[in-house]
Amino acid sequence: MKRGLFITFEGADGCGKTTQIKLLDKYLCSQRYTTLLTREPGARGLGEKLREILLNYEGEVSPMCESFLFLADRAQHVDCIIKPAIENGVYVLCDRHTDSTLAYQGYGRGLDIDRIKLLNNIAVNGLKPDLTIVFDIDIKTSLSRIGTKKDRMESAGIDFFNRVRAGYINIAKQEPDRVKIVDASDTIDNIHKKVVELVKQL
Ligand code: TYD
């Protein structure tokens, strides 16, 4: 069985990546690839429960606890869903993965970057995306798309999201072969064309 592919989609809240992941999924299906569209946090099963806590818990959550909950969700997701699918030749499209923890808990919350990298490596047990697409957009624009009904993470404020955005740009600079930045202020159609181009290069 030929190995599938693992592509992750990243960016600050409201960057439009969920629209793009669905468009890519449609495109790949039209080309007769078998795909799996999945997300973090909140893949099926236990992931849904962890997502509920992460996004809606109203009491205090320490940044380290938050990190471990995202990492727990990731370990479960990788072992039970992502790895088996890739081994079966599936193209796995994942809405957020390790770089979210680096950008949000590392750069955003201010936890030590090298520690987060280490914890990510433990959680994924050697798995690395073949391609990561970061959707980059001005934070005022992305936050205005979310509107007034915000979840726990979305309520973190503009300074936090500016750090997250800068974090993603740093990550892309450090790993230019894997991580590609796409300008998310362009039209949906143009962005989709760029995404398809990147995937074809794989
Ligand atoms: P979600 O509603 O899926 O947001 P989006 O549609 O923008 O992806 O919520 C996921 C939230 O969790 C989002 O604010 C990013 C955050 N997050 C982290 O802070 N760290 C992580 O490791 C992951 C996977 C997500």
Side-chain angles (χ1 to χ4, degrees):
M1 172 65 74
K2 199 167 170 281
R3 182 185 177 274
L5 275 183
F6 182 34
I7 306 174
T8 60
F9 289 67
E10 296 280 358
D13 292 68
C15 68
K17 65 184 162 43
T18 308
T19 305
Q20 290 299 329
I21 204 170
K22 285 183 187 153
L23 286 175
L24 179 65
D25 186 44
K26 216 168 143 192
Y27 169 79
L28 291 172
C29 290
S30 76
Q31 304 293 306
R32 303 195 176 280
Y33 289 102
T34 307
T35 62
L36 172 70
L37 208 170
T38 186
R39 67 173 179 182
E40 290 180 14
R44 70 183 137 79
L46 177 60
E48 286 166 19
K49 300 256 182 218
L50 292 169
R51 179 183 174 88
E52 173 60 26
I53 299 172
L54 278 160
L55 300 189
N56 299 325
Y57 181 70
E58 285 176 358
E60 187 185 358
V61 183
S62 86
M64 201 41 113
C65 168
E66 183 178 276
S67 304
F68 275 110
L69 289 173
F70 281 116
L71 290 156
D73 171 71
R74 181 158 309 131
Q76 170 83 0
H77 193 204
V78 166
D79 289 342
C80 302
I81 298 176
I82 300 177
K83 272 191 181 162
I86 297 172
E87 279 158 18
N88 276 312
V90 173
Y91 279 29
V92 178
L93 310 180
C94 188
D95 194 339
R96 299 194 179 281
H97 188 62
T98 44
D99 298 305
S100 281
T101 316
L102 262 187
Y104 280 74
Q105 282 65 51
Y107 291 94
R109 299 276 192 228
L111 294 182
D112 185 83
I113 299 294
D114 287 333
R115 258 179 150 187
I116 297 286
K117 283 185 183 166
L118 181 72
L119 293 172
N120 260 335
N121 286 339
I122 295 170
V124 302
N125 197 13
L127 179 72
K128 225 180 188 350
D130 299 288
L131 170 68
T132 296
I133 305 177
V134 171
F135 295 85
D136 182 56
I137 193 162
D138 169 71
I139 294 301
K140 275 201 185 123
T141 312
S142 61
L143 288 184
S144 70
R145 287 180 182 171
I146 295 169
T148 48
K149 205 170 166 285
K150 295 185 168 65
D151 64 37
R152 195 180 68 81
M153 294 303 298
E154 289 165 349
S155 310
I158 191 152
D159 291 346
F160 173 83
F161 281 104
N162 276 319
R163 288 196 296 278
V164 168
R165 183 186 187 194
Y168 276 123
I169 291 169
N170 254 336
I171 294 168
K173 275 191 194 140
Q174 285 167 17
E175 284 187 78
D177 291 340
R178 173 179 68 89
V179 185
K180 309 289 178 191
I181 292 192
V182 166
D183 176 2
S185 63
D186 208 344
T187 63
I188 290 180
D189 206 38
N190 281 344
I191 300 171
H192 174 57
K193 282 185 189 134
K194 283 181 196 154
V195 168
V196 169
E197 230 8 82
L198 288 171
V199 174
K200 278 185 178 166
Q201 285 168 19
L202 276 180

